Amino acid sequence: MDHAKLLNKVDHTLLAQGATWEEIRQICDDAIRFKTASVCIPPSYVKQAKGYVGDKMKICTVIGFPNGYNTTAVKEFETRDAIANGADEIDMVINIGWVKDGRYDLVEEEIRCIKAACGDKILKVIIETCLLTNTEKIRMCEVVTAAKADFIKTSTGFSKAGATFDDIALFASHVGENVQIKAAGGISSFADADEFVKLGADRLGTSRLVKIEKQQ
C-alpha cells in the first residue's frame, strides 16, 4: 500500500504528558496536510483543537488513560465531557484488573456504558495486549464484540510494549465482523504499517509515519 493510503489510516498521535499547545497545533496542521484519519490528543486540548481545525480533521481523545482503573462513572463523565468539547472519537482503556480477576461481565458493562455515552461517535477499546495472555486477548475480542464497540485497540503506548503482528492476526481471527482493529504503540516504519494493515488493522496509532513523510 502506498504511503498516502497508509497515512489515511493513521490516528496522528501526541499524548506525551508535557505536550504543549504549539505541539498540538503542529500535529493538527500535519494531520490535515497528510490527510490522516484523525489526531489523537489529550482531553485538555480537545476544545481548543476542535476550534482550530473545525471540520478539516477529526479529533480523537483518550479516556481512563493510560491505566484504565478509573471508576466507570469517571470514565463516563470524561467521555461526555470530551464529546461536549468536540471529540469525534474516543479511545478508552479497560480495567485490566477486572480482566485478571475474570470479571468480564464488568468489563463488558463498562464498555457498553461508554458506548452509550459516545452516542454516534466512534469508540475504540484499548486492552493493553502486552499485559494479557492470549486467552485473555481472545476473551476480550469476544467482550468488545458483544459490547458493540467500534474498534479493539492493542495498546496505550505507555506500558511495556506496543502492537505486534501476532496480536493483530489474533484479533482478526476472533473479533466480530462489525469490530475494526487499531494497532498502536511502536509502529516506526511504513513497512511495518503496511504489514499491520495486511494482517487486519484498520487504524494505526502513531506519530512516526507523518514524521518520516515530512522528511522525504
Side-chain angles (χ1 to χ4, degrees), residues 62-147:
V62 289
I63 300 299
F65 194 88
N67 295 313
Y69 45 42
N70 313 61
T71 66
T72 298
V74 169
K75 290 180 184 178
E76 181 182 8
F77 178 86
E78 285 186 284
T79 301
R80 294 188 186 280
D81 182 60
I83 291 170
N85 286 333
D88 300 291
E89 303 187 358
I90 297 294
D91 288 21
M92 68 166 284
V93 185
I94 62 165
N95 188 315
I96 297 162
W98 285 349
V99 173
K100 294 299 180 181
D101 281 338
R103 294 305 310 271
Y104 293 103
D105 56 332
L106 296 179
V107 179
E108 181 177 337
E109 182 180 343
E110 180 172 272
I111 296 169
R112 286 183 181 275
C113 178
I114 303 307
K115 179 58 181 172
C118 284
D120 61 355
K121 307 299 185 183
I122 287 176
L123 174 63
K124 310 186 199 93
V125 178
I126 307 170
I127 71 167
E128 204 70 282
T129 46
C130 65
L131 301 181
L132 304 184
T133 66
N134 278 353
T135 299
E136 291 165 341
K137 294 171 197 174
I138 290 168
R139 190 71 182 89
M140 279 310 305
C141 286
E142 296 166 353
V143 168
V144 171
T145 300

Side-chain angles (χ1 to χ4, degrees), residues 12 17 28 51 64 71-72 74 80 82 126 130 137 140 146 149 165 175 178 181 190 193 203 211 213:
H12 189 32
Q17 293 96 325
C28 288
T71 66
T72 298
V74 169
R80 294 188 186 280
I126 307 170
C130 65
K137 294 171 197 174
M140 279 310 305
F165 297 144
V175 293
N178 294 322
I181 295 168
F190 277 97
R203 288 285 188 94
K211 291 176 182 176
E213 194 69 5

Side-chain angles (χ1 to χ4, degrees), residues 30-46:
D30 291 340
I32 292 168
R33 174 185 171 189
F34 292 107
K35 298 181 173 62
T36 66
S38 78
V39 288
C40 188
I41 60 175
S44 59
Y45 286 115
V46 166

Side-chain angles (χ1 to χ4, degrees), residues 143-157:
V143 168
V144 171
T145 300
K148 301 187 186 304
D150 300 286
F151 280 80
I152 187 169
K153 176 179 170 183
T154 59
S155 319
T156 61

